[in-house]
Amino acid sequence: MKKWPMELHKHCVELFRTSPELETIMNLNDSSDFHEPQTTKDLYLHSSIRSLDPRIADEFFEKANIQDSFSTVVQTLEGFVSDDSKLWNIPNLFIPSSWVHARQLIRFTEKNANFMVGDYRDDVSQDLNAFLKHWLNSDNTNLETLIVRGSCSSMEELFDGIQTSRWNPEKRRATYVSNAPFQTIWEYRFGQGCRFLNLPSFWPNELDCSDAFDIVRESDGLIASVKVDISAFFMFVWHSRFS
């Protein structure tokens, strides 16, 4: 029975010659709909009550080819996804639960990500410093925005060995324009069930980079603005500086 939705979708695509793009809502601990490799444009993960073994997530992403975005709100894991997980290949990730460790951030080389890492009591300044250095020495031109929810208490450790500068209005605009596709998320509210919730990808004050620190990648001159605000790290890459 659980295979029917996927089979019906496949049949309709073939019959009516429509776009095969598919948006999926599902529960990770009941992923039998993905009995074989399946391509979907966006996937919204329904939350289960209990935490799951991260190997279940790794196995799921081996079968799910998610082309645009993956989001979950409160689904928790008993550990972290693996360094080799196909999760890292998804262009846009919204995971405000501890699915990843801060040291794994260098695995993400796609467009937009919103992560919570580890425990809020764990300071991740050194891991974020390693990520910034990795980006500065890479040829990654995909990254647009990165949010990391975690304790970053030491600006000295965050920028250790990294040259920074304050905002120069001749080099970029003050406010970043985001294309992150997280305006719609799937949420669960006790007593109300599940529903789609429309929210801005960023609040206006988060996109204000007039007080951010800028770093410049020497290989291509790409500028990124970095700011820390209330246990959240923000990184905005300026692919377009004035438009």
Side-chain angles (χ1 to χ4, degrees):
M1 292 290 290
K2 289 183 176 295
K3 297 180 182 180
W4 284 15
M6 294 301 181
E7 294 298 329
L8 180 60
H9 172 262
K10 181 179 179 181
H11 178 70
C12 289
V13 168
E14 295 174 350
L15 179 63
F16 299 108
R17 300 182 184 277
T18 61
S19 169
E21 288 188 352
L22 180 68
E23 291 190 341
T24 307
I25 303 170
M26 64 177 298
N27 195 310
L28 190 59
N29 64 354
D30 186 18
S31 57
S32 56
D33 281 353
F34 281 69
H35 58 285
E36 60 184 24
Q38 179 71 45
T39 297
T40 184
K41 179 176 179 287
D42 304 305
L43 193 144
Y44 305 93
L45 191 65
H46 193 306
S47 302
S48 66
I49 297 175
R50 62 188 180 88
S51 295
L52 300 177
D53 189 319
R55 289 174 295 184
I56 294 176
D58 286 338
E59 292 170 2
F60 170 74
F61 290 115
E62 286 290 332
K63 295 185 292 183
N65 176 23
I66 302 172
Q67 296 180 323
D68 189 26
S69 66
F70 169 78
S71 64
T72 181
V73 181
V74 294
Q75 176 64 65
T76 58
L77 300 181
E78 295 173 345
F80 306 115
V81 297
S82 70
D83 288 352
D84 298 324
S85 174
K86 296 295 179 63
L87 171 78
W88 304 110
N89 299 334
I90 302 172
N92 303 289
L93 296 171
F94 183 88
I95 310 178
S97 300
S98 298
W99 283 39
V100 304
H101 192 282
R103 61 172 173 75
Q104 294 178 297
L105 292 172
I106 60 173
R107 309 297 298 181
F108 183 72
T109 57
E110 296 298 329
K111 292 183 178 181
N112 301 283
N114 187 325
F115 295 123
M116 187 173 85
V117 292
D119 190 306
Y120 267 107
R121 294 168 295 184
D122 298 330
D123 191 275
V124 295
S125 302
Q126 290 185 351
D127 292 308
L128 291 172
N129 174 267
F131 175 83
L132 292 176
K133 288 179 177 177
H134 181 267
W135 181 82
L136 285 168
N137 290 287
S138 74
D139 58 358
N140 175 11
T141 57
N142 295 325
L143 185 63
E144 296 175 8
T145 66
L146 175 68
I147 303 177
V148 179
R149 311 285 178 181
S151 176
C152 182
S153 61
S154 174
M155 299 298 284
E156 183 177 348
E157 287 187 0
L158 176 63
F159 292 119
D160 181 46
I162 298 174
Q163 184 174 351
T164 66
S165 62
R166 285 299 196 174
W167 173 45
N168 183 341
E170 295 183 356
K171 293 186 177 181
R172 64 165 177 83
R173 59 187 298 169
T175 303
Y176 187 83
V177 177
S178 171
N179 296 313
F182 299 133
Q183 289 86 355
T184 301
I185 62 173
W186 181 248
E187 73 154 8
Y188 171 80
R189 288 194 176 184
F190 183 76
Q192 299 181 27
C194 295
R195 65 177 183 176
F196 279 109
L197 180 67
N198 293 317
L199 290 172
S201 296
F202 295 93
W203 299 111
N205 65 300
E206 294 175 340
L207 295 172
D208 179 5
C209 293
S210 60
D211 60 346
F213 291 91
D214 286 356
I215 59 176
V216 181
R217 189 161 63 187
E218 292 185 1
S219 61
D220 56 10
L222 202 57
I223 295 176
S225 294
V226 177
K227 55 190 286 187
V228 176
D229 180 31
I230 313 177
S231 297
F233 165 95
F234 298 89
M235 179 177 178
F236 303 105
V237 181
W238 295 86
H239 294 279
S240 179
R241 302 184 190 181
F242 293 102
S243 60

